C-alpha cells in the first residue's frame, strides 16, 4: 500500500486513482437506470470495509472526494472508459505487479458488491446490463487479457462478472456464519452454501442450519457455491467465518446477567446470562471462545444454551447443588424459548443445548411441555399487542390489475415497530394468491399513541422505508411476485 501511495504522489497529475471508485460506481449503478441518493450513500458505507482500503487510501493521497468526482462524471467532464484505460496504464507502468493487481481486483470487487448492495438482504441476480458493465470494467483494467479469444457473448465470459474466492485468504473479513431455522434450507436457492450444527450427537427436530453471509452496510448477502473455487471446503469456509465472528463479538459484546421472578409466592428467581447487542450475537452458539466466557461468568462446568431468535443467545448454569432448583432452570429456559414464537422476531430454534468446555455436547430431552407452554404464552402476548395495532385491508382494481391498501391504527409506537414486518408479510402472502394482483401494496399508519410527538414522523417514515426495502428483498428470495412475475412494490408511510 505504501508503494501505491508513493507512486500516486509522484504522478499527481494522473488523478485516475482518485477517480476510479466513483467511475466504477457510475458505470455499474447506472446500468439499469438513474442513480438515487441512497445508492451514493450505500457506496460511501461500502468503502468503509477493509477490502477497499487500498482504494480509499489512494483517493486520500490526492484529497479528492466521491461527490466531486461524481459531479464531474455526470456533467460529462470525465469519460469513464478513457479514465479506466489511463488507470490501467498508470498501474501497469508505475506500480509493482502485485500492487497493481490488488488495486484492480479491489475495483472489480467493488463493481460486483455495488450490485449486491443495491439488491438488498439476499442473493440477487445481476441484470444483463450490469454484467456487461462489470465485464467492460474488467476488460479495460486488463483483467480479461488472458481470455481475449473468448467471444463477448459467451456465457463463460459473463460469469467473470461474479467475484470468485479461490483460497481461504480470499474470503473477506466481513464473512460470518448465520444461524437459520430448520426449514430455511428448503426455501432458498440450492446454490447457497450451508452446513449443519457441528455437534457429536444425533440430529434433532428444529436444529438450525448454518449459512455464510457477507455483512454489507445495509444488508447481508449469502455466499453461493458458484462464487467459490472447487478446492475450498465447507470446513475452511466455516473456520474463516467463525474467526471473523470471534473477532467481532469479542470486541463489541459481552455476556449480561439476566433474571426474572418465577413465583411471587416463593420469591424464587430464575437467573442466567444473555448475549445481545449485535446482529450476529446468536451465532456465538458456534463459538467455543464465547461460550467459554459464559462458563467463566457463571462459574459453571456445564450449562444450557438457547438461540431462539436473531441477535440473542441465552445461557444458564446446570448444577446439582441446592442453590438451583430444577424448576428455576426450566423457568429460565421457558422464558428464553418464548422469544422463538414471537411473530415480530426472526426465529432460529427452540432447542435447548447442553454445553461443556465451550462445546455443544447434547440436548436437554423432554422439553416438549416447556416449548408448548412458551408458545402459548407468546401467542397470548401477541394477541394483546395485536389489539393495540388495528389493521384492515382493501383491494382496488383497474385495467392493470388489483392493488392492496392496508390501513393501520397504532395505539403504541413500540408495538407498531415490532409487528409491522409480520403484519405486512401476512398481507402479501394473501395478496399473491390473487391471480390479478399486480404487486402493489401500500400501507398507511395512523398513530394514536398518546406519547407520539409530531417530530417523530420523519424518523418513523425512515424506519418504514427501510423496512419496505428489507421485505421487498425477502419476497424476492421466497419467490413471491405479482401476476406477471414482476417485483412486489411496497410503500409505507405515517399519515398523521
Amino acid at each position: 500500500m505504501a508503494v501505491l501511495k508513493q507512486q500516486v504522489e509522484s504522478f499527481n497529475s494522473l488523478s485516475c486513482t482518485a477517480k476510479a471508485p466513483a467511475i466504477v460506481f457510475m458505470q455499474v449503478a447506472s446500468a439499469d437506470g438513474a442513480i438515487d441518493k441512497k445508492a451514493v450513500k450505500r457506496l460511501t458505507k461500502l468503502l468503509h470495509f477493509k477490502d477497499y482500503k487500498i482504494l480509499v487510501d489512494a483517493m486520500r493521497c490526492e484529497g479528492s472526494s466521491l461527490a466531486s468526482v461524481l459531479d464531474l462524471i455526470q456533467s460529462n467532464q470525465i469519460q469513464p472508459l478513457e479514465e479506466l484505460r489511463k488507470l490501467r496504464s498508470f498501474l501497469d507502468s508505475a506500480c509493482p505487479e502485485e500492487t497493481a493487481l490488488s488495486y484492480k481486483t479491489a475495483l472489480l470487487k467493488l463493481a460486483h458488491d455495488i450490485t449486491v448492495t443495491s439488491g438488498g438482504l439476499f442473493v440477487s441476480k445481476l441484470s444483463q446490463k450490469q454484467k456487461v458493465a462489470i465485464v467492460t470494467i474488467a476488460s479495460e483494467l486488463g483483467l480479461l487479457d488472458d481470455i481475449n479469444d473468448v467471444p463477448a457473448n459467451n456465457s463463460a465470459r459473463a460469469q467473470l462478472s461474479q467475484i470468485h474466492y479461490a483460497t481461504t485468504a480470499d474470503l473477506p473479513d466481513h464473512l460470518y456464519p448465520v444461524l437459520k431455522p430448520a426449514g430455511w434450507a428448503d426455501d432458498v436457492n440450492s446454490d447457497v452454501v450451508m452446513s449443519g450444527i457441528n455437534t457429536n450427537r444425533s440430529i434433532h427436530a428444529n436444529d438450525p442450519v448454518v449459512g455464510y453471509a457477507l455483512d454489507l452496510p445495509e444488508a447481508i448477502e449469502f455466499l453461493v457455491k458458484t462464487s467459490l473455487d472447487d478446492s475450498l471446503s465447507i470446513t475452511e469456509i466455516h473456520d474463516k467465518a467463525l474467526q471473523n465472528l470471534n473477532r467481532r463479538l469479542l470486541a463489541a459484546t459481552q455476556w449480561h446477567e439476566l433474571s426474572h421472578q418465577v413465583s411471587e409466592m416463593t420469591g424464587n428467581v430464575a437467573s442466567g446470562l444473555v448475549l445481545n447487542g449485535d446482529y450476529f450475537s446468536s451465532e456465538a452458539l458456534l463459538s467455543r471462545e464465547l461460550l467459554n466466557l459464559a462458563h467463566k461468568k457463571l462459574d459453571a462446568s456445564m450449562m444450557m444454551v438457547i438461540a431462539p431468535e436473531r441477535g440473542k443467545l441465552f445461557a444458564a448454569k446446570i448444577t446439582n447443588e441446592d442453590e438451583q432448583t430444577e424448576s428455576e432452570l426450566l423457568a429460565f429456559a421457558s422464558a428464553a424459548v418464548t422469544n422463538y414464537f414471537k411473530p415480530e422476531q426472526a426465529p432460529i430454534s427452540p432447542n435447548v443445548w447442553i454445553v461443556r468446555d465451550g462445546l455443544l455436547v447434547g440436548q436437554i430431552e423432554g422439553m416438549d411441555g416447556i416449548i408448548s407452554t412458551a408458545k402459548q404464552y407468546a401467542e397470548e402476548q401477541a394477541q394483546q399487542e395485536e389489539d393495540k395495532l388495528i389493521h384492515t385491508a382493501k383491494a382496488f382494481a383497474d385495467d392493470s390489475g388489483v392493488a392492496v391498501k392496508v390501513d393501520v391504527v397504532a395505539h403504541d409506537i413500540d408495538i407498531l415497530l415490532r409487528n409491522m414486518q409480520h403484519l405486512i408479510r401476512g398481507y402479501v402472502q394473501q395478496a399473491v394468491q390473487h391471480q390479478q394482483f399486480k404487486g402493489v401494496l401500500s400501507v398507511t399508519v395512523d398513530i394514536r399513541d398518546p406519547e407520539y410527538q409530531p417530530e417523530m414522523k420523519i424518523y418513523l417514515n425512515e424506519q418504514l422505508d427501510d423496512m419496505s426495502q428489507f421485505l421487498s428483498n425477502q419476497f424476492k428470495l421466497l419467490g413471491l411476485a405479482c401476476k406477471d412475475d414482476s417485483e412486489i412494490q411496497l410503500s409505507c408511510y405515517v399519515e398523521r
Side-chain angles (χ1 to χ4, degrees):
M1 184 58 236
V3 175
L4 184 61
K5 285 183 178 179
Q6 294 170 4
Q7 297 298 339
V8 171
E9 290 167 352
S10 300
F11 292 83
N12 197 42
S13 60
L14 292 173
S15 59
C16 46
T17 52
K19 302 171 186 175
I23 289 172
V24 165
F25 168 73
M26 290 293 294
Q27 288 295 101
V28 177
S30 63
D32 287 333
I35 300 174
D36 58 21
K37 292 182 179 179
K38 287 187 177 181
V40 178
K41 182 179 178 181
R42 286 194 294 266
L43 171 64
T44 303
K45 290 184 178 180
L46 199 59
L47 288 175
H48 282 87
F49 284 126
K50 191 176 78 172
D51 294 353
Y52 305 114
K53 186 176 186 296
I54 191 171
L55 306 181
V56 175
D57 285 349
M59 291 172 61
R60 288 173 178 167
C61 284
E62 299 188 31
S64 65
S65 68
L66 279 173
S68 61
V69 180
L70 290 172
D71 288 341
L72 288 172
I73 299 174
Q74 291 177 318
S75 60
N76 296 320
Q77 296 183 49
I78 288 179
Q79 298 302 316
L81 297 185
E82 182 180 340
E83 290 294 331
L84 288 177
R85 294 183 197 113
K86 289 180 181 179
L87 173 66
R88 175 186 176 184
S89 176
F90 164 63
L91 293 173
D92 290 346
S93 63
C95 298
E97 182 178 352
E98 182 179 349
T99 303
L101 182 59
S102 295
Y103 189 93
K104 293 176 183 179
T105 303
L107 269 183
L108 190 60
K109 185 178 186 306
L110 178 66
H112 175 262
D113 284 355
I114 287 167
T115 65
V116 172
T117 303
S118 63
L121 177 64
F122 298 102
V123 179
S124 58
K125 296 180 180 178
L126 278 68
S127 70
Q128 187 60 36
K129 290 181 180 179
Q130 288 173 330
K131 288 183 179 181
V132 170
I134 295 176
V135 171
T136 300
I137 290 169
S139 178
E140 295 298 345
L141 293 176
L143 296 176
L144 300 185
D145 285 355
D146 57 339
I147 57 165
N148 278 336
D149 56 330
V150 179
N153 60 353
N154 192 288
S155 60
R157 189 165 188 173
Q159 290 175 359
L160 290 174
S161 63
Q162 301 282 354
I163 300 299
H164 286 259
Y165 303 106
T167 66
T168 305
D170 295 333
L171 295 171
D173 290 341
H174 57 285
L175 174 70
Y176 300 102
V178 182
L179 292 173
K180 301 296 287 184
W184 183 72
D186 299 326
D187 295 330
V188 298
N189 187 334
S190 60
D191 197 34
V192 173
V193 178
M194 65 183 73
S195 65
I197 292 291
N198 185 22
T199 62
N200 297 319
R201 59 181 182 79
S202 58
I203 297 175
H204 287 71
N206 293 318
D207 274 354
V209 295
V210 184
Y212 300 90
L214 303 177
D215 183 26
L216 301 177
E218 295 182 358
I220 65 171
E221 175 207 6
F222 282 97
L223 204 62
V224 291
K225 297 172 185 175
T226 51
S227 67
L228 303 171
D229 191 271
D230 291 340
S231 62
L232 265 177
S233 69
I234 188 65
T235 299
E236 290 175 312
I237 295 168
H238 181 86
D239 289 347
K240 172 65 174 179
L242 191 57
Q243 176 186 340
N244 294 341
L245 178 74
N246 284 335
R247 183 170 57 250
R248 172 172 174 155
L249 294 186
L250 288 171
T253 63
Q254 59 181 330
W255 289 96
H256 299 282
E257 294 181 358
L258 179 70
S259 63
H260 63 271
Q261 192 168 354
V262 177
S263 169
E264 294 182 2
M265 295 180 62
T266 64
N268 288 0
V269 173
S271 60
L273 303 176
V274 62
L275 185 73
N276 58 7
D278 189 280
Y279 182 87
F280 296 98
S281 292
S282 47
E283 278 65 33
L285 178 73
L286 308 171
S287 167
R288 188 171 189 178
E289 288 84 349
L290 287 155
L291 291 177
N292 273 330
L293 289 178
H295 277 299
K296 184 176 180 180
K297 194 172 182 69
L298 289 169
D299 189 23
S301 60
M302 187 163 55
M303 59 186 182
M304 70 176 186
V305 177
I306 308 164
E309 62 170 305
R310 165 69 43 226
K312 289 182 182 178
L313 185 65
F314 297 88
K317 182 177 183 178
I318 297 178
T319 177
N320 293 324
E321 299 175 8
D322 293 337
E323 63 188 65
Q324 179 202 48
T325 66
E326 181 179 347
S327 61
E328 290 168 5
L329 189 67
L330 294 179
F332 184 88
S334 179
V337 171
T338 298
N339 293 272
Y340 174 79
F341 296 102
K342 291 182 178 180
E344 73 275 9
Q345 305 298 348
I348 294 177
S349 174
N351 292 351
V352 182
W353 287 277
I354 300 172
V355 177
R356 183 184 288 114
D357 296 326
L359 297 174
L360 304 183
V361 296
Q363 188 171 127
I364 296 181
E365 304 291 349
M367 294 294 291
D368 292 349
I370 295 294
I371 293 174
S372 177
T373 300
K375 180 180 180 181
Q376 181 179 349
Y377 178 76
E379 289 174 346
E380 291 173 355
Q381 291 294 106
Q383 183 60 53
Q384 292 177 18
E385 294 205 347
E386 188 172 323
D387 292 341
K388 294 184 178 181
L389 195 66
I390 303 168
H391 44 95
T392 58
K394 295 181 181 179
F396 296 88
D398 57 25
D399 293 340
S400 61
V402 172
V404 176
K405 185 178 185 302
V406 180
D407 292 313
V408 179
V409 178
H411 293 274
D412 187 305
I413 292 177
D414 291 336
I415 291 176
L416 167 73
L417 295 176
R418 284 199 300 269
N419 290 275
M420 277 295 287
Q421 290 188 30
H422 173 69
L423 185 151
I424 291 175
R425 284 194 196 99
Y427 278 120
V428 169
Q429 288 170 344
Q430 294 178 43
V432 295
Q433 297 176 15
H434 197 295
Q435 293 183 351
Q436 299 302 312
F437 179 54
K438 60 182 181 181
V440 177
L441 187 143
S442 61
V443 182
T444 302
V445 181
D446 180 11
I447 304 293
R448 303 284 180 87
D449 190 332
E451 297 183 6
Y452 174 80
Q453 300 295 326
E455 56 267 24
M456 297 173 64
K457 183 174 181 178
I458 295 176
Y459 166 77
L460 287 173
N461 276 323
E462 289 178 349
Q463 292 284 96
L464 293 176
D465 185 48
D466 290 344
M467 181 199 63
S468 296
Q469 294 181 22
F470 169 78
L471 288 176
S472 295
N473 289 311
Q474 274 200 334
F475 298 148
K476 290 179 191 176
L477 177 72
L478 296 174
L480 298 177
C482 54
K483 59 175 184 176
D484 58 358
D485 292 327
S486 59
E487 297 177 6
I488 293 173
Q489 303 172 44
L490 283 178
S491 63
C492 304
Y493 63 94
V494 176
E495 183 177 56
R496 181 174 173 179

